[in-house]
Amino acid sequence: MEGLQRCFVLHSRPYSETSLILDVFSEDSGRLTLLSKGARRKRSNLKGALQPFTPLFMKWSGKGSMPILTHAEPISIGLPMRSYILYSAMYVNELLARVLETNTPYPVLFLDYLNVLRELAQAENPEPALRRFELALLQHLGYGIDFLHCAGSGLPVDDTMTYNYREQLGFIASLKMGQLTFTGEQLKAVAARRFETPDQLRAAKRFTRIALKPYLGGKPLKSRELFIPRGRSTGK
């Protein structure tokens, strides 16, 4: 077990005729890129193991931008992701690959990631699990916003009042309505990670889209495109 780390493969792509480049999320080292030599050979014992959503013990050697994978073994079978739930899990993987700096440990986020995969594997509706994970990710990135107090007055938010979100400040009481406006009831639900109604889920999704945008930049997430029916656009 010495030198082994718990890991998940976020994404892989072919390299040369027989190898793979792996985008990996590890418990102790965070996100990193590994080269798996010979993983695409027909007789490679790694071929079936290096799949997303399969918990792995992994070991690598070398420094620089792309260490060499030296060992990988499944800890358990891959978490089952059926039909549309698979797209949600792919979204989580792409989100981590896009926003996390390489070689920065996120041990608690690793557990949050493991939990969201478990939730998705059992979920009928993936939305609550996705929103909780997005909020956890923002917290680990250092995004600190007080959902429970008005940033202008310092008073606790009121369920029936409306608050306008201002980046880096928080939520300020306002009568103006728009994409950045939330009710106090919605903000309390987001703070508690409690999504019991469709309205609470929509508000949480709207907020996480706003908050994650600076981290994602202008390039759209490929996994979101999988949710768009052919010939139609959701406008996102």
Side-chain angles (χ1 to χ4, degrees):
M1 292 291 292
E2 185 178 353
L4 295 176
Q5 292 192 36
R6 291 201 299 175
C7 301
F8 282 90
V9 173
L10 299 177
H11 178 71
S12 66
R13 62 184 186 275
Y15 180 78
S16 72
E17 293 184 359
T18 60
S19 301
L20 286 172
I21 293 177
L22 306 173
D23 201 355
V24 171
F25 186 36
S26 77
E27 184 171 18
D28 299 323
S29 300
R31 187 174 72 83
L32 65 158
T33 303
L34 301 177
L35 176 61
S36 181
K37 293 184 176 180
R40 297 173 62 208
R41 291 195 181 108
K42 291 182 179 180
R43 296 184 179 181
S44 172
N45 58 358
L46 295 177
K47 197 169 185 179
L50 300 177
Q51 301 296 324
F53 321 124
T54 298
L56 301 164
F57 281 128
M58 302 180 78
K59 187 176 181 179
W60 51 88
S61 65
K63 297 181 179 179
S65 60
M66 197 182 304
I68 306 299
L69 179 68
T70 58
H71 180 83
E73 62 178 277
I75 299 173
S76 64
I77 62 172
L79 294 164
M81 300 294 172
R82 62 193 182 282
S83 60
Y84 64 95
I85 298 293
L86 174 63
Y87 301 145
S88 296
M90 291 170 63
Y91 163 73
V92 171
N93 278 9
E94 187 177 8
L95 198 57
L96 290 179
R98 287 278 298 274
V99 307
L100 294 185
E101 295 182 359
T102 57
N103 300 307
T104 302
Y106 293 96
V108 179
L109 179 61
F110 184 87
L111 297 180
D112 289 328
Y113 174 71
L114 181 58
N115 287 334
V116 74
L117 293 187
R118 287 171 174 166
E119 284 190 71
L120 289 174
Q122 301 173 16
E124 293 297 329
N125 177 10
E127 294 286 329
L130 291 178
R131 302 294 82 81
R132 283 190 289 269
F133 180 76
E134 288 170 336
L135 290 165
L137 175 60
L138 285 165
Q139 188 174 13
H140 290 297
L141 292 173
Y143 189 93
I145 287 292
D146 185 351
F147 295 97
L148 298 179
H149 294 86
C150 173
S153 67
L155 294 173
V157 297
D158 184 283
D159 285 6
T160 60
M161 290 184 62
T162 54
Y163 299 84
N164 203 49
Y165 172 70
R166 295 188 184 179
E167 189 174 353
Q168 298 182 343
L169 288 178
F171 298 90
I172 296 179
S174 175
L175 296 177
K176 295 182 179 180
M177 303 297 292
Q179 184 66 15
L180 301 180
T181 305
F182 300 82
T183 67
E185 189 272 338
Q186 290 170 339
L187 294 180
K188 289 180 180 179
V190 172
R193 278 44 166 183
R194 184 193 71 249
F195 309 118
E196 299 172 348
T197 68
D199 178 69
Q200 291 170 347
L201 275 174
R202 286 192 295 269
K205 184 174 184 177
R206 183 157 50 91
F207 172 76
T208 56
R209 292 293 182 271
I210 294 167
L212 285 168
K213 188 174 181 179
Y215 297 96
L216 293 170
K219 187 178 178 181
L221 289 164
K222 294 180 180 179
S223 53
R224 283 185 186 166
E225 298 173 1
L226 299 174
F227 290 92
I228 303 175
R230 292 182 180 179
R232 296 178 57 188
S233 172
T234 62
K236 294 183 180 179

